[in-house]
Amino acid sequence: ARQPAPDWAKPPSRERTSGGSATASGSPRAAQKPPRARDDAEVNVPSAFKTVDAVRERELAHSFNDASVGTDVFAGERQVTLEERLHYERDGHVCIRKAIDDAFACNPMVRALTTEIMSRRLEAYKHRVAVLCPGVNARDVQSVDDAKSVLKKHSHEDVGFLQTFNLHRDVKSDAREYILSKRFAKIAADLLGCEKVRLYQSCVFVKEPGMAETNWHSDLNMVPLDTNEFITLWIPLRSLDEDDAALHFASKSHRDFALPYWRTLAGMEDDLESRYEIDTYDELDLGDLTAHHGFTLHWSPPQPEDSVPRFALSICYFADGAKRMDAKHLRRSPHEEDMWSYESWLKDVKPGARARHPELPLVWP
């Protein structure tokens, strides 16, 4: 029989704290009570980075073309306001309304992305098996039903989401040009305050009806880059109302050096709500997006049983010049949940070298 879920995996109360809905300008509202945090050791993932110095090192081809691959699929630029920049800098997150000002212009992107993720649904389930089921070879999973059976038998937590990695790396994908959009990349560069940005990773996240919460985490905790200049744009692929599972942010957690220095994630579980304001953005329209810093703690509640699936495109960027993490003298290694995403380039970039690789392309300017 399946073991009961631990406390941190149980759905939080759906009751929201005071604060009201987000305004049209993107102001957050107080979020509902989040689940408990979990320690890194509670997630069972393949061990790749622990032997980071032993990976094969080879030089990239001298002919590597490092020119920007950003596309003009969306015409013009969305100018980031000073108020939006200050909000991002202070709180570690911000809502950018009308990032694509014409919602109809989003429809081809939505069609391309949803078509791709439905065709790769088995791949997404295999990734969940690899992360949540230690000792199970995900390559042996032959169908979605097979994956669900394996997860039910071997996973000690409920599935919170499915993710499809890096559609932009497939030159035949119709989704590629939208993920590489300069319009999105320029927003990231403006919020980071840098001249050039590289695309680290893209993911399409799916929360099917009844899927569990996504636990507290920060994105940079899973990234083998030695940088603080990292940002994620989270772009819903349909309009979201207040019952949909949007992201909830621990405001100012990106500036809190003391917490990760002294405590594990498990050690934070009784302190998050007293330490931070927990905010979210309601009623995101198609064309809106949220942006958060790589060290901003965030989570997502369960998707209601009586809803339709929630789809969102996540694009992660970092400032050009960041270096690959060197494993020497680390307090701990980067979390390996996203190892499927970075293992293909990690072997080609030496520890301590600039993260410059065809799979980490410049997209702005």
Side-chain angles (χ1 to χ4, degrees), residues 57-74:
E57 296 176 359
R58 61 183 174 85
E59 297 293 337
L60 293 175
H62 294 299
S63 60
F64 166 45
N65 183 359
D66 200 23
S68 175
V69 299
T71 68
D72 295 312
V73 63
F74 297 117

Side-chain angles (χ1 to χ4, degrees), residues 68-133:
S68 175
V69 299
T71 68
D72 295 312
V73 63
F74 297 117
E77 298 176 4
R78 164 56 159 88
Q79 297 296 325
V80 177
T81 68
L82 177 60
E83 181 182 3
E84 289 166 337
R85 294 186 193 191
L86 288 173
H87 193 289
Y88 172 80
E89 180 62 29
R90 289 167 178 165
D91 286 352
H93 59 87
V94 68
C95 180
I96 305 294
R97 301 286 182 182
K98 295 185 180 298
I100 306 298
D101 47 12
D102 180 4
F104 288 103
C106 296
N107 289 336
M109 175 181 71
V110 172
R111 284 195 297 269
L113 287 164
T114 53
T115 298
E116 288 276 10
I117 59 180
M118 293 309 294
S119 67
R120 300 174 190 238
R121 193 161 176 253
L122 176 57
E123 177 185 332
Y125 265 101
K126 284 185 175 183
H127 177 257
R128 290 292 87 193
V129 169
V131 171
L132 300 177
C133 302

Side-chain angles (χ1 to χ4, degrees), residues 123-358:
E123 177 185 332
Y125 265 101
K126 284 185 175 183
H127 177 257
R128 290 292 87 193
V129 169
V131 171
L132 300 177
C133 302
V136 177
N137 188 344
R139 294 183 179 88
D140 294 336
V141 175
Q142 300 300 313
S143 68
V144 170
D145 287 341
D146 190 13
K148 289 180 177 179
S149 177
V150 170
L151 288 162
K152 184 176 182 179
K153 182 177 180 180
H154 296 283
S155 176
H156 295 302
E157 66 177 274
D158 294 324
V159 175
F161 58 86
L162 301 173
Q163 65 187 126
T164 303
F165 286 108
N166 297 322
L167 293 174
H168 68 278
R169 293 180 185 172
D170 182 352
V171 296
K172 297 180 180 179
S173 172
D174 291 337
R176 174 182 166 86
E177 63 178 333
Y178 301 104
I179 298 170
L180 297 175
S181 166
K182 287 183 179 180
R183 191 177 180 98
F184 292 143
K186 175 64 160 53
I187 291 171
D190 285 349
L191 291 173
L192 285 174
C194 63
E195 295 183 0
K196 297 180 180 182
V197 293
R198 293 183 181 270
L199 198 159
Y200 170 73
Q201 173 180 287
S202 67
C203 282
V204 182
F205 287 95
V206 180
K207 263 189 183 289
E208 297 178 349
M211 279 192 169
E213 77 283 341
T214 303
N215 292 284
W216 280 112
H217 67 284
S218 62
D219 296 341
L220 259 175
N221 188 50
M222 296 177 274
V223 176
L225 294 177
D226 188 3
T227 185
N228 196 52
E229 295 178 297
F230 188 98
I231 189 171
T232 298
L233 303 188
W234 193 83
I235 307 160
L237 300 182
R238 65 169 175 84
S239 296
L240 303 183
D241 62 32
E242 65 176 14
D243 291 325
D244 282 306
L247 298 187
H248 296 231
F249 305 98
S251 293
K252 298 181 173 60
S253 57
H254 70 306
R255 305 176 74 172
D256 189 350
F257 183 77
L259 193 70
Y261 187 89
W262 293 114
R263 301 190 187 195
T264 64
L265 282 177
M268 295 190 292
E269 64 184 20
D270 296 323
D271 198 26
L272 284 174
E273 290 179 89
S274 62
R275 196 177 187 98
Y276 309 117
E277 291 185 6
I278 311 300
D279 294 317
T280 191
Y281 302 92
D282 272 337
E283 300 180 359
L284 294 171
D285 292 326
L286 190 60
D288 295 344
L289 62 83
T290 63
H292 59 271
H293 188 276
F295 279 126
T296 299
L297 288 164
H298 56 285
W299 77 290
S300 178
Q303 184 66 6
E305 292 274 4
D306 59 351
S307 68
V308 296
R310 187 218 70 187
F311 298 91
L313 169 64
S314 169
I315 313 177
C316 301
Y317 304 88
F318 65 96
D320 182 39
K323 296 179 179 180
R324 188 196 128 169
M325 191 80 73
D326 192 329
K328 295 178 180 179
H329 309 302
L330 286 185
R331 189 178 299 273
R332 59 184 175 129
S333 295
H335 195 290
E336 295 172 339
E337 181 167 339
D338 287 353
M339 186 264 290
W340 279 29
S341 177
Y342 62 69
E343 64 178 342
S344 58
W345 64 261
L346 195 70
K347 64 182 180 293
D348 295 332
V349 180
K350 294 180 179 180
R354 286 181 57 184
R356 178 178 173 271
H357 192 276

